[in-house]
Amino acid sequence: MNRMEELLRAFRNIADNPKAQLEKYRAEGKKAVGCMLYFCPEELVYAAGMIPFGLWGARTQAVEAKRYLPAFICSVLQTTLELGIRGAYDGLEAVMIPILCDSLKGMDGNWRYSVPHIPVIPVAHAQNRKTEAGVAFTASQYRKVKARLEEIAGRAITDADIRDAVSVYNARRAVMRRFLELCARKPGLLKPSERNAVFKSSCFMDVREHAGMVSELVALMEEAPAGEFKGPKIVTSGIMADHPNLLQILDDLGYAVVDDEVTHESLRFRADVPETEDPIEGMARQVGNIEGCSVLFDPEKNRGKMLVDLAKKSGADGVLLVLTKFCDPEEYDYVPIKRMLDAAGIPAIQVEIDQQTAENAQTLTALETFRGILGY
Amino acid sequence: MDDHIERKPAKIRLREIAEKATQDAWEAKLRGEKVGWCASNFPQEITTTLGIPVVFPENHAAGVAAKGGGQRMCEYAESMGYSSDLCSYSRISFAYAALKECPELNIPQPDFLLCCNNICNCMIKWYENLAVELDIPLLLIDIPHLDAFPCDEDRIRYIRAQFDDCIRKLEELTGKKWDEERFKEVMAISQRSSRAWLKAVSYAQYTPSPYSGFDIFNNMAVAVVARGTVEAAEAFEQLAEEYEENVKNGVSTFKAEEKYRVLFEGIACWANLSYTFKTLKNLGINVTATVYGPAFSFLYDNLDELMAAYSYVPNCNVFERELELRVNDAIRHKVDGAIFHINRSCKHWSGTLYEMERQLREKAGIPTVVFDGDQADPRVFSEAQYLTRIEALVEIMEENKRKGARK
């Protein structure tokens, strides 16, 4: 096994074993705070000397969660709540819950009664996020979050702490963007499942450790010969593209993911936090700079334009829209975005993914067909 | 006194006001004025003060569904690529924006969109898509879900800034000018309407209730579309007077013996309104509590309170506040049970109802049932399930009454 294989295996191992990661950090005397889905202010957790820990559900069956959530709430939240109830997140000091979609708006209430031993820290972002009033509001909410984190950490979080955290996080964003670029430049070097593990592992790792491993991988990818890739190249888009069966199908059918507009993947790394005098203001401004996500106000559907650009720039043959079942922001976006892709002459297909399903025969058929459509 | 006797009944006046609001928008459109599509919980003080004609896609969708067009319009939107998982109001709206007319109910097409997400973020996605489909401007007043009660100063400041920004943009868009004096007048009238609406609704605390709870679903349309008009204020005041008179005379618009009093949670199933109502009526069940009273009354004494008031709509409150409103209403209006509509369209509202049901049952000491339905898509509703659940509720309420009588 060469070093690149070792690294990729390590990323996968971490991505598949979040509980072991949590226990490892706790054994080191570190506290961890859950960050449910998208755009929680991780830098503040890190500035307090704690580990932000991503909660994005898992492939499991929701049973206890069904006492709280109707069946038509997405499986990401169903399984996240299920894991909380089952005790999988025991050891987290608190969980941050944003309110960026309607299903999340109900999560804080449900969580408080179903997982009472892990306190909730609500995170509100402005949807009019590019305006000064919006930035000021998001910043005000981040300050509230900061105060809660200080209680948990048992110490003050200074502006210098936040600036350091922002700097570390921006450095990781930079190396992740190099990784993205290399995935586009050298298709086939990493399988889709390997590429996913690099992103997913970031949810369960100290940012410096993760950045260090990615830097090493990036250096090896730079050195690796580009080779000739003969399979279909795609850009993925959606909240998550993480289901093991989906990744296996993409691997088996020889797809290469040359770029993505996936919230769980590149959208967390595309926009740096601007370095401002008040570092929290910079963090709030970053929310206004993020494009491509269905849960952030996007009156001109820049997401569609961005997706068309990503597909063109990366030389993709087509776009795979990964719909998290019952995610209404994604379902709304599908219609205008598909039309924009059609208008640009970019072939696109949507597959619906539910974290609770073990069987994905339909996805296999769809992606086999799509490969044919793309001429492979 | 003679004048009083000769007045049209309030419900007729209210219906006429709602119809006139749409008619006014049509006439404005014909005059060449710009007409907006507006979210039901958008601060109407802005549009009323500026004199900007608006119509309400949520009311339109409910009206289309009540007249039998819900399924056809939803299916049309699905043929456009929209998932059947999406809010049925929005599906009807997408279909209408594409078709431009429908036999059940027509409203003018929009020149701009006024969105407010205090009831749900689905509104944002719905209006984003309309803005792109129709290539028209979209103004959003973002009211973030509350994490505590009352509304905090950060939110008030943010809402206020958007309020001011929205006025400026609407002035540019329509050429109309903001008038502070008119604004004060509109606020005063809106308060008058809201107080009268709340007063009218509160008469359900009497036993028997002087009105059928389903009347609220019809009358609230005016609370949405014309809260800031004198006509609406007067009609609501008249409604309250009529209910008071009914209480004195021991009569009711509920035309059956009121054997049981219930809280109805959720939006009405507009496409199945008749069945849902008659099933209750036939069993002697009157709805004496809904969250719609407080939902469409916005009480405030100053500008900051006005901003906060728009964050107190159902779905925007923190869970514990939502629960408190229901428990208080259930107790004050002496309900024997509660019916929870798990509305397939509404992820946020439905997403907390199981816990709400458990806690209401315990805190108000009443039996509860849930049923599956939808606000406008009849395919989701099952008459058999609804009937079975309601019958089960009646059995428990009956047993409770028997035990109570024995004590």
Side-chain angles (χ1 to χ4, degrees):
Chain A
M1 191 189 297
N2 64 30
R3 181 60 188 149
M4 192 188 292
E5 286 167 343
E6 274 175 13
L7 274 171
L8 292 172
R9 185 168 289 192
F11 281 121
R12 174 48 62 198
N13 190 38
I14 291 165
D16 289 347
N17 296 286
K19 188 72 180 171
Q21 285 294 109
L22 180 60
E23 281 163 7
K24 182 189 98 162
Y25 290 123
R26 280 170 53 80
E28 291 169 8
K30 289 181 180 159
K31 292 179 175 175
V33 172
C35 301
M36 200 178 285
L37 277 68
Y38 15 68
F39 310 124
C40 289
E42 292 183 27
E43 287 88 342
L44 294 179
V45 179
Y46 199 74
M50 302 188 289
I51 303 290
F53 215 75
L55 310 185
W56 291 80
R59 192 176 68 165
T60 186
Q61 282 296 316
V63 180
E64 290 300 314
K66 291 261 161 67
R67 295 179 62 233
Y68 295 87
L69 301 174
F72 51 84
I73 300 295
C74 76
S75 57
V76 184
L77 293 187
Q78 297 268 7
T79 58
T80 300
L81 189 64
E82 180 73 19
L83 293 174
I85 296 171
R86 280 195 223 152
Y89 299 137
D90 287 4
L92 292 178
E93 303 295 323
V95 54
M96 292 198 272
I97 305 183
I99 50 166
L100 287 166
C101 73
D102 288 333
S103 300
L104 271 173
K105 285 180 178 182
M107 272 303 269
D108 66 334
N110 282 319
W111 188 276
R112 278 199 295 280
Y113 297 100
S114 57
V115 196
H117 57 289
I118 304 180
V120 173
I121 304 176
V123 183
H125 299 90
Q127 286 286 359
N128 266 322
R129 59 205 172 93
K130 295 176 191 287
T131 65
E132 287 307 307
V135 169
F137 175 72
T138 303
S140 73
Q141 300 306 294
Y142 280 3
R143 284 188 196 98
K144 277 195 199 171
V145 171
K146 173 177 160 259
R148 292 286 304 276
L149 293 170
E150 285 174 330
E151 285 169 25
I152 293 166
R155 72 170 179 85
I157 303 171
T158 65
D159 279 0
D161 293 332
I162 301 172
R163 275 191 208 102
D164 285 349
V166 164
S167 160
V168 171
Y169 268 77
N170 278 348
R172 198 254 300 260
R173 287 187 182 100
V175 74
M176 287 303 286
R177 290 195 293 267
R178 281 181 60 207
F179 171 71
L180 268 171
E181 191 194 317
L182 281 161
C183 289
R185 193 143 48 92
K186 300 187 177 181
L189 186 57
L190 264 58
K191 290 179 187 166
S193 62
E194 292 167 335
R195 183 184 180 281
N196 162 271
V198 175
F199 288 106
K200 186 172 184 178
S201 57
S202 71
C203 299
F204 316 128
M205 290 180 79
D206 181 302
V207 58
R208 285 178 202 269
E209 285 177 50
H210 185 254
M213 277 174 66
V214 179
S215 294
E216 192 182 351
L217 177 66
V218 162
L220 294 169
M221 287 173 78
E222 293 273 13
E223 287 166 16
E228 191 189 356
F229 181 69
K230 292 183 177 167
K233 292 176 285 181
I234 52 169
V235 171
T236 48
S237 181
I239 297 292
M240 299 180 78
D242 181 51
H243 196 290
N245 293 7
L246 169 68
L247 295 168
Q248 188 66 53
I249 290 167
L250 291 173
D251 285 359
D252 291 349
L253 294 177
Y255 280 95
V257 176
V258 288
D259 212 333
D260 77 77
E261 193 190 51
V262 173
T263 308
H264 178 239
E265 298 183 3
S266 73
L267 296 190
R268 294 165 46 228
F269 304 107
R270 288 188 187 274
D272 276 344
V273 171
E275 290 183 18
T276 47
E277 194 180 335
D278 171 2
I280 287 187
E281 183 200 316
M283 290 176 65
R285 287 199 184 280
Q286 185 226 16
V287 177
N289 295 339
I290 297 170
E291 298 293 352
C293 182
S294 60
V295 299
L296 297 174
F297 184 44
D298 183 13
E300 290 164 7
K301 294 287 179 198
N302 286 331
R303 177 184 176 193
K305 295 168 199 161
M306 174 175 161
L307 192 52
V308 168
D309 283 351
L310 288 180
K312 285 182 179 169
K313 277 185 196 155
S314 61
D317 300 301
V319 166
L320 172 62
L321 300 161
V322 185
L323 170 68
T324 297
K325 192 174 181 179
F326 297 131
C327 175
D328 46 331
E330 288 288 303
E331 290 166 343
Y332 278 110
D333 269 2
Y334 170 71
V335 176
I337 280 170
K338 177 71 165 62
R339 194 182 307 131
M340 289 159 108
L341 289 165
D342 288 348
I346 297 167
I349 190 172
Q350 176 174 260
V351 297
E352 188 176 68
I353 299 293
D354 183 329
Q355 283 185 318
Q356 296 179 85
T357 50
E359 179 59 52
N360 289 81
Q362 273 191 332
T363 307
L364 173 61
T365 309
L367 288 171
E368 277 175 341
T369 308
F370 192 52
R371 187 177 61 171
I373 290 169
L374 299 180
Y376 295 92
Chain B
M1 192 64 187
D2 284 347
D3 284 351
H4 178 78
I5 291 165
E6 284 171 10
R7 282 190 305 193
K8 282 180 191 171
K11 72 171 183 183
I12 305 288
R13 288 181 73 185
L14 286 164
R15 194 173 63 213
E16 287 175 356
I17 291 168
E19 286 166 0
K20 184 172 177 298
T22 306
Q23 192 54 38
D24 287 349
W26 275 115
E27 285 167 13
K29 186 85 178 176
L30 285 173
R31 282 196 304 271
E33 282 188 46
K34 287 183 172 161
V35 173
W37 278 11
C38 184
S40 65
N41 280 280
F42 184 89
Q44 60 83 30
E45 287 80 358
I46 294 178
T47 49
T48 311
T49 300
L50 283 167
I52 292 175
V54 290
V55 287
F56 298 85
E58 292 153 78
N59 294 37
H60 175 250
V64 168
K67 292 179 181 185
Q71 181 171 337
R72 189 191 71 255
M73 294 292 269
C74 284
E75 285 172 348
Y76 187 85
E78 287 154 27
S79 76
M80 294 165 69
Y82 286 106
S83 167
S84 60
D85 180 47
L86 292 172
C87 163
S88 51
Y89 283 180
S90 69
R91 276 179 283 149
I92 290 172
S93 191
F94 292 137
Y96 188 70
L99 294 166
K100 312 291 182 201
E101 60 180 351
C102 76
E104 289 81 12
L105 187 61
N106 284 307
I107 54 173
Q109 290 294 316
D111 300 294
F112 58 90
L113 299 160
L114 299 178
C115 184
C116 186
N117 63 329
N118 44 6
I119 52 169
C120 62
N121 276 20
C122 166
M123 294 295 309
I124 297 181
K125 301 306 295 181
W126 171 0
Y127 278 50
E128 273 181 5
N129 282 21
L130 285 175
V132 171
E133 300 268 355
L134 302 171
D135 193 21
I136 54 175
L138 160 58
L139 304 181
L140 165 70
I141 292 195
D142 169 33
I143 300 194
H145 191 257
L146 296 183
D147 53 29
F149 182 81
C151 182
D152 54 279
E153 284 183 9
D154 297 322
R155 280 174 170 74
I156 289 172
R157 207 173 299 122
Y158 175 44
I159 300 167
R160 177 72 193 274
Q162 296 176 86
F163 197 93
D164 293 342
D165 188 49
C166 186
I167 291 166
R168 192 179 51 74
K169 286 183 175 148
L170 278 173
E171 282 183 328
E172 284 170 18
L173 204 61
T174 64
K176 301 202 173 182
K177 285 286 155 227
W178 184 256
D179 177 341
E180 275 300 318
E181 288 308 308
R182 174 72 183 130
F183 178 45
K184 284 177 192 160
E185 194 178 78
V186 169
M187 286 197 290
I189 298 166
S190 302
Q191 292 304 284
R192 193 177 146 196
S193 285
S194 291
R195 280 192 294 270
W197 166 247
L198 270 183
K199 186 176 177 192
V201 170
S202 75
Y203 282 103
Q205 66 187 284
Y206 292 99
T207 309
S209 167
Y211 67 91
S212 165
F214 271 55
D215 289 356
I216 291 177
F217 294 136
N218 295 320
N219 295 335
M220 72 179 195
V222 172
V224 173
V225 305
R227 204 161 54 239
T229 67
V230 174
E231 293 80 7
E234 287 175 353
F236 283 135
E237 284 163 359
Q238 184 185 329
L239 187 69
E241 286 166 22
E242 288 176 8
Y243 288 166
E244 189 169 357
E245 199 69 16
N246 284 0
V247 170
K248 281 183 197 156
N249 298 329
V251 295
S252 174
T253 65
F254 183 66
K255 300 300 179 195
E257 184 195 348
E258 186 181 276
K259 290 188 199 164
Y260 311 102
R261 300 159 61 83
V262 297
L263 178 145
F264 187 94
E265 177 63 41
I267 298 176
C269 302
W270 292 107
N272 310 90
L273 197 63
S274 172
Y275 182 83
T276 48
F277 172 63
K278 283 179 185 161
T279 302
L280 298 186
K281 188 181 155 202
N282 291 342
L283 291 163
I285 301 171
N286 191 16
V287 172
T288 61
T290 75
V291 79
Y292 279 119
F296 292 107
S297 60
F298 296 83
L299 296 176
Y300 47 83
D301 282 327
N302 56 51
L303 272 182
D304 279 358
E305 286 180 13
L306 185 156
M307 305 304 153
Y310 278 92
S311 68
Y312 296 148
V313 301
N315 280 3
C316 199
N317 281 303
V318 67
F319 175 84
E320 287 73 13
R321 173 66 180 164
E322 296 279 13
L323 178 66
E324 184 189 5
L325 288 172
R326 270 80 173 173
V327 172
N328 289 347
D329 218 26
I331 293 171
R332 196 181 308 127
H333 289 197
K334 300 183 276 292
V335 303
D336 304 303
I339 300 166
F340 282 74
H341 174 196
I342 302 294
N343 180 357
R344 186 65 186 72
S345 274
C346 196
K347 287 195 166 68
H348 181 27
W349 203 328
S350 300
T352 53
L353 281 191
Y354 291 160
E355 182 61 16
M356 180 86 71
E357 185 207 3
R358 278 190 290 273
Q359 295 207 28
L360 179 71
R361 193 190 307 151
E362 188 187 317
K363 288 181 167 44
I366 52 168
T368 57
V369 288
V370 302
F371 73 94
D372 299 306
D374 189 83
Q375 58 202 23
D377 187 344
R379 291 171 292 180
V380 182
F381 178 78
S382 153
E383 290 186 354
Q385 189 215 46
Y386 181 75
L387 179 62
T388 311
R389 301 280 166 92
I390 301 300
E391 284 176 341
L393 180 67
V394 167
E395 276 183 35
I396 307 169
M397 293 193 295
E398 184 57 33
E399 179 66 11
N400 287 348
K401 279 187 186 289
R402 213 168 45 77
K403 283 183 198 159
R406 214 162 44 207
K407 283 175 194 166

